[in-house]
Every structure is written in C-alpha cells, then in structure tokens.
Amino acid sequence: MRFSEKIPGRVLLVIAFSALSALVLITVFIFVEGVPLIARVGVFNFIFGMKWAPSQGAFGIFPMIVGSLSVTLGAIILGVPIALCCAIFLTEFAPATVRNAIRPAIQLLAGIPSVVYGFWGLIFVVPLIRNYIGGPGLSILAGSIILAIMILPTIISISEVSLLALPPPYREGAFALGATQWQTIHGVLLPAARSGILAAVILGMGRAIGETMAVIMVLGNAVAMPSSILDPARTLTTNIGIEMAYAAGEHRQALFATGIVLLVMIMILNSVAQYALRRRQDER
Amino acid sequence: MLAVSVLLVTGSTLAGCSGETSWKTEVLTSMSVKINTVLPNNRLVHHNTKLRTERVSLYYGTFRALKDISLDIPEHAITAIIGPSGCGKSSFLRLFNRMNDLITRARVEGCVELDGVHIYEKSTDVVELRKRVGMVFQKPNPFPMSVFDNVSFGPRQHGRKSRGELGDIVEKSLKLAALWDEVKEKLDQSALALSGGQQQRLCIARVLAVEPEVILMDEPCSALDPVATLKIEDLMTNLAANYTIVIVTHNMQQAARVSDMAACFLMDPDRSGVLVEYGPTSQIFTNPKDKRTEDYITGRFG
Ligand SMILES: Nc1ncnc2c1ncn2[C@@H]1O[C@H](COP(=O)(O)OP(=O)(O)O)[C@@H](O)[C@H]1O
Ligand SMILES: [Mg+2]
C-alpha cells in the first residue's frame, strides 16, 4: 500500500531527471569538445580575435559576437515598442471580442517555423532594403527586422500577463485622482509592471540571440566585421549552422567553443530575466 | 425655478437638473441651495448643498442596484452612508466621481449635481470632476512607488513639474493627513513598506495633494486596526472644516462619532438599494423616524 502510493512520484522523478540529464549531457559534451580549443587559443584571443579563418588556424569570433549583438539589439529596438503598444492595447483598450481575436493570431505568429520567416525575409525584406535603402540587402537590418517580428509573441504575451496581473486598485486609484487613461498607463501601470516587462524583453533577446535558420537566410553571413547596419554579418549561431557540415578537427572544436560562448550569453540573459520576474513577485 | 436662477448666475450652459425643487431645499439668489444641519453640539448651521442627487437609479446591466435616490449633501460637513452589505453604498458613492463609468455595464438615470451642476452631461469633463471629487478606497491602494511619488502623482499628472513645488505640495499634504512626522525621513522609500494605517493616510494625502473639494471615502477603516481607525477619524474631523466628506461605513459607532449627517440605505425585496432615512446623525441614531432604520441600527448595536 505505502509502496504503491510512492510509485507515481518515483516514476515522475525518474522522467524529470532524464530531462535534466539531457541538459547536463549536452552541456558537458559542448564543454569537453570546446574548452581545449579555447585553452589553446586563449580566452581573450578567441573572444576578441578579429580573424576567423579555420584553414589558417585563426579562430577569432569577435565579428560574430558583434553580429549577434547587433541583430539582437536591432530586433529589440524595432520589436519592443511595437510589442509594448500591442500589449497595452490588448490589456487596456481592446474590447473582449477584439482581444479574443488578436490573441490567437499572435500565438500563431509564434508557431510559424523560422525557415518560413527567413524565406519571407529573403524574398520580401532583402530586396526592399537593397532597392530603397542601399547595400546588398542581405544585412544586419534585414536580420533585425525578421527577428523583431519573431520575438513579438514572446514579448507581447509576457508583458500582457504582467499588465493583467496588476491589482485593479492601481487603475482605480489613478483614475480617481483625475489621471487620464494614458496618464494611468504611463504613470502607474507601466512602472508597476516594469520588472515583468523587463523579463519579457530579456527573454525576447534570448530568443533573438539563439535564432539561427531565419538569420542565415537574410544576413549574408560574411565573416568580416560589419561597419554599418546595411552590411552583411554573421552571428554565433549562423557560424555553427553554416560550417558544421564540413568542419573537422580543430575547426569542429572551434564551433563547439562558439557554442560555449552562446550558452554563457543565454544563461546570463535567462538569469537576469529570472531575477526580474522574482522581483516582480516580491513587489506584490 | 431653480434651473433658471442657475442659468442666470453662471451665464453658461452649465446647469443643474430642471424640475421641481425638493421640499427640503429653498432657492437662494445664488447657484447653490441651502439646508439646515443640526450639528452634534445642537448648533444650527447653514450649509450650502455641495452634492445632490435627485431620483437617481443605477443599473448594472438589467439589475437595478439603486432606486430613486434623492439626497442633498451639505458642504464642509461629514455625511455618513450606512446600511447592510450589498445595499448599494459603494455604488452610490461612486456616482459622485463617476467611477461607475469604468464598469461598462453600469448606467445612471436621474440627476447628480456638484455645486448645482449636473455631472452626467455629455459635456462633463470627467478628469476635471475627479480632481474636484477625490476618493479613498476600502483597501489602501498606494502605487508601487516611493512615498513622494505617490503623493505627488496627481499634481505631476496635472502639470506641476518643478521638484521644489512638488516638494511643498507633498509636505503640506502629508501634514494635513497627519502622516508627515512618521514618513518625512523615508519619502524615497517604497510606499508599500508602510503599515496599513499609514498607507491609508498616504492615500488620503495623495487625494489632498490634488486639492479636491469633496473627499469620498468607501469604508476607509475596514482594513485597519482600532488605533489606526481612530487616527483616520481624527483626521476626517479636522478636514471637515474645509472639505465636504462623504463616508461609507459599516461601523455604527464610527458613523455616530464622526458624521454630521447620516443616510441609511437598505435593500428592497427586489434587492435594489433604497434610501430609507436621511437626517442629522444625532436624530438618526437617537430618534429614527423610520422603523427599518431603528431595526438596522439597534440590530447592529446588539
Ligand atoms: N461591477 C458590478 N457589476 C455588477 N453588479 C455589481 C457591481 N458592483 C456592485 N454590484 C452589485 O450592486 C449591488 C450593490 O453593491 P455595492 O454598491 O458594492 O454595495 P455595498 O457597498 O453597500 O456593499 C450588489 O448587489 C452588488 O452585487
Ligand atoms: Mg461597499
């Protein structure tokens, strides 16, 4: 009797641990493969090296770090204002019927495979930039636009939840003081929801940094250091995606080392987001 | 008759509700009407009517929460609204700053006046109205920001910008709310760290900072301990000299202690709220004219 009661708990425990062990396994594998190369090249030379030429034994990933950070930053600059407006509209202005129509549409946006985004970007956004703004079209700007759209669902839904979670008395209190609807949103609701919104932005950043397929298709993938947002660039993820098929030996290790850098960046972002979300709970 | 004199005085389209003048009021040469109040010390004082409802009904969808309420609330006095739960006291209070507007299904019929001007007109500026008619809620609801930012919120939104000016307003409001000495060292700390009683006085200070004429209070002490309650009552008594206060309370002793006028609401069999008796507090409590008032009050006193 007592033993049989424990079975479901035990089974779930084993399953939970197998999920966790997959994570550990992958992490260990990446580190075992990548760390020796970083040790040989040197952390500083690897991260801040300007030249990536595996055939000559040059493994500097700084242009790709710049590439990753600039498309991500671009996506945030373009995406966050739109996502915030969307979340504010959904929570504060939209009648229930409109809200119930828009919300599934946004969920659908999250469900579109990234290769479709990339393809659409290549066919539509890239020529637009080439013809109307300049440069080869395949560029940081193109990547930023695609990523901005891709991170919308994440940022919208988490910001929306944070705004909806605010106690109604905040709203009433502000209105009762003669604040207009916009003053209420701007002066009370957004500041009150700021840690949730911050977490939303950071999770969006994590998604943007990690995205590979869509970015490969629109970014041009040049290994050189980009000098403007109209230049092609390569990100950490696309570097792995492009070269893994033929990489061997040191080259392959260098790609795993690139993975380590990515992993660390994403871990930092996620911890900041967790911290922000926990702060939000403490504020209650 | 009343409407005509109002038009003459204001010379604009602002007007009270037309129609017969209630028997309680006498028309004066100015826009306002006067009623007599017997204060607890039995002094007869003339008060202008600050707020007035005439045959007001409030509907939530098809449910009629208030039925034909007519009431004149005197200026610079404390008027208590008493009655059992669910009889529409909060709904009634929210008529005066149009907070019911936030509820999409709510609909108001009849006439609600502030200084003789109908406030449910299309032309009514609700934001302006809420600056003149402040509200303190049942549960203290400071914003999750500093004490200073809470108190200065209203003035900031209404266009006062300089830190010095805001500082003066914050200090003055906190002093009026009898909170200054307790928080002057922690103006930059989160308001959420204050005690419940302090938070409620902060909310009162936040309202005072907007310099309203009327303060509506919806059971402001129901979430507070007795000591904090007494502080708020003292505060109300002091404010009554310059503000018109309307307080909803469940607490009969509190109504008896602080109010000049008392209105007793009850529920009709169809669950609509009705006004059964209104008059000077001393009379309502010692010599109620309506049997139902007496039953309610004595029931509560046990
Ligand atoms: N937002 C609302 N929507 C629908 N019905 C409401 C709403 N607020 C209050 N009511 C109803 O109106 C009646 C009066 O409520 P309320 O004014 O809160 O009474 P009181 O403050 O005297 O307890 C109650 O029957 C209540 O259920
Ligand atoms: Mg109530």
Side-chain angles (χ1 to χ4, degrees):
Chain A
M1 179 62 188
R2 278 190 57 224
F3 180 71
S4 68
E5 275 173 13
K6 282 181 180 166
I7 289 180
R10 291 274 160 84
V11 170
L12 291 176
L13 187 75
V14 169
I15 295 173
F17 260 99
S18 48
L20 200 66
S21 56
L23 175 70
V24 171
L25 212 68
I26 292 172
T27 311
V28 166
F29 190 82
I30 293 174
F31 272 78
V32 166
E33 290 281 326
V35 166
L37 182 111
I38 296 181
R40 208 167 329 123
V41 178
V43 176
F44 187 87
N45 287 339
F46 183 68
I47 291 180
F48 293 105
M50 297 294 284
K51 189 173 177 194
W52 174 266
S55 52
Q56 302 161 26
F59 300 105
I61 60 167
F62 195 61
M64 299 161 209
I65 292 181
V66 170
S68 275
L69 292 182
S70 49
V71 283
T72 302
L73 193 69
I76 294 297
I77 290 172
L78 296 175
V80 167
I82 297 174
L84 268 188
C85 290
C86 220
I88 291 171
F89 172 74
L90 286 176
T91 54
E92 303 300 320
F93 293 95
T97 47
V98 175
R99 194 162 53 228
N100 292 338
I102 292 185
R103 200 176 284 141
I106 290 169
Q107 304 296 332
L108 201 66
L109 210 56
I112 298 176
S114 54
V115 67
V116 176
Y117 279 106
F119 191 51
W120 176 77
L122 185 64
I123 299 303
F124 184 73
V125 179
V126 168
L128 217 61
I129 293 175
R130 184 169 52 227
N131 296 337
Y132 292 98
I133 306 181
L138 296 162
S139 59
I140 291 177
L141 182 60
S144 299
I145 291 172
I146 296 300
L147 286 178
I149 299 171
M150 293 180 75
I151 64 177
L152 284 181
T154 309
I155 303 184
I156 292 173
S157 42
I158 299 176
S159 314
E160 192 193 353
V161 167
S162 315
L163 285 170
L164 284 177
L166 294 178
Y170 290 171
R171 260 181 207 92
E172 289 171 5
F175 279 124
L177 287 167
T180 61
Q181 183 156 25
W182 175 244
Q183 288 170 336
T184 303
I185 293 168
H186 170 261
V188 177
L189 303 184
L190 287 181
R194 66 175 175 267
S195 23
I197 292 171
L198 183 67
V201 171
I202 292 167
L203 290 175
M205 279 173 83
R207 173 130 166 66
I209 284 195
E211 177 53 39
T212 312
M213 199 59 212
V215 183
I216 284 186
M217 298 170 76
V218 299
L219 212 53
N221 304 319
V223 284
M225 179 68 100
S227 61
S228 95
I229 58 168
L230 297 176
D231 281 354
R234 182 181 283 207
T235 67
L236 295 166
T237 53
T238 53
N239 189 40
I240 300 173
I242 289 165
E243 300 190 356
M244 67 182 174
Y246 58 87
E250 261 199 335
H251 185 189
R252 203 176 81 132
Q253 287 185 331
L255 293 186
F256 276 108
T258 311
I260 295 177
V261 174
L262 253 178
L263 204 68
V264 170
M265 282 168 73
I266 288 176
M267 260 160 49
I268 292 173
L269 283 181
N270 275 355
S271 342
V272 175
Q274 287 302 325
Y275 173 76
L277 282 173
R278 206 163 315 128
R279 272 258 320 268
R280 188 183 80 183
Q281 273 149 20
D282 293 347
E283 280 164 10
R284 284 295 116 84
Chain B
M1 172 72 173
L2 176 63
V4 170
S5 64
V6 165
L7 276 173
L8 284 177
V9 172
T10 61
S12 74
T13 55
L14 295 179
C17 303
S18 54
E20 72 275 45
T21 309
S22 107
W23 59 271
K24 272 181 290 190
T25 60
E26 47 174 311
V27 179
L28 296 178
T29 49
S30 81
M31 182 163 89
S32 50
V33 286
K34 288 207 166 181
I35 61 166
N36 300 332
T37 320
V38 187
L39 288 181
N41 57 12
N42 280 328
R43 218 153 38 89
L44 190 73
V45 179
H46 288 283
H47 290 275
N48 294 327
T49 295
K50 187 70 182 175
L51 296 165
R52 178 158 178 274
T53 67
E54 197 178 306
R55 293 218 304 278
V56 164
S57 294
L58 175 76
Y59 296 83
Y60 292 115
T62 53
F63 171 62
R64 193 179 192 182
L66 291 172
K67 193 192 286 178
D68 283 338
I69 312 281
S70 298
L71 197 64
D72 285 16
I73 292 174
E75 187 171 37
H76 297 170
I78 302 181
T79 301
I81 314 285
I82 58 175
S85 264
C87 69
K89 305 181 298 297
S90 300
S91 303
F92 180 72
L93 202 65
R94 289 198 306 259
L95 286 173
F96 296 114
N97 62 347
R98 291 190 49 172
M99 283 304 271
N100 292 322
D101 288 14
L102 301 184
I103 302 162
T104 41
R105 285 153 27 89
R107 186 167 56 82
V108 178
E109 263 175 18
C111 176
V112 184
E113 288 176 4
L114 170 64
D115 284 339
V117 176
H118 188 34
I119 59 172
Y120 280 78
E121 213 75 78
K122 277 226 164 56
S123 58
T124 305
D125 181 347
V126 179
V127 165
E128 203 55 42
L129 171 72
R130 289 181 186 149
K131 286 190 216 167
R132 294 175 63 193
V133 183
M135 181 165 228
V136 177
F137 295 81
Q138 183 165 0
K139 200 162 162 281
N141 61 345
F143 302 134
M145 48 179 87
S146 72
V147 171
F148 186 96
D149 286 347
N150 263 280
V151 181
S152 63
F153 178 82
R156 265 186 291 135
Q157 303 305 332
H158 303 141
R160 305 234 178 150
K161 291 282 187 284
S162 90
R163 179 89 188 176
E165 197 184 359
L166 289 177
D168 292 345
I169 295 174
V170 167
E171 179 172 347
K172 190 173 136 223
S173 310
L174 285 171
K175 279 181 174 159
L176 262 179
L179 188 59
W180 175 251
D181 290 333
E182 290 163 60
V183 301
K184 64 177 179 230
E185 308 292 327
K186 32 186 174 180
L187 292 179
D188 289 325
Q189 288 176 25
S190 168
L192 302 186
L194 301 178
S195 74
Q198 289 174 329
Q199 287 188 2
Q200 195 61 302
R201 276 177 287 149
L202 178 72
C203 292
I204 295 173
R206 194 170 70 180
V207 168
L208 293 173
V210 183
E211 301 187 327
E213 299 155 35
V214 178
I215 305 175
L216 309 171
M217 298 185 167
D218 192 350
E219 302 191 38
C221 303
S222 65
L224 306 182
D225 63 67
V227 176
T229 299
L230 285 179
K231 279 191 183 153
I232 304 255
E233 288 180 10
D234 280 349
L235 172 58
M236 275 191 282
T237 319
N238 292 334
L239 291 175
N242 300 307
Y243 299 86
T244 303
I245 297 178
V246 188
I247 175 179
V248 167
T249 176
H250 253 110
N251 181 328
M252 292 303 115
Q253 289 94 327
Q254 181 169 66
R257 274 195 301 265
V258 301
S259 69
D260 305 306
M261 298 288 286
C264 182
F265 281 54
L266 287 178
M267 244 185 288
D268 254 10
D270 63 359
R271 300 184 25 85
S272 300
V274 290
L275 174 65
V276 289
E277 189 161 357
Y278 177 50
T281 304
S282 50
Q283 180 233 305
I284 296 274
F285 278 88
T286 55
N287 186 19
K289 295 206 172 67
D290 196 297
K291 180 78 171 65
R292 291 171 295 172
T293 311
E294 187 175 354
D295 287 349
Y296 177 68
I297 290 171
T298 52
R300 281 310 172 101
F301 278 134

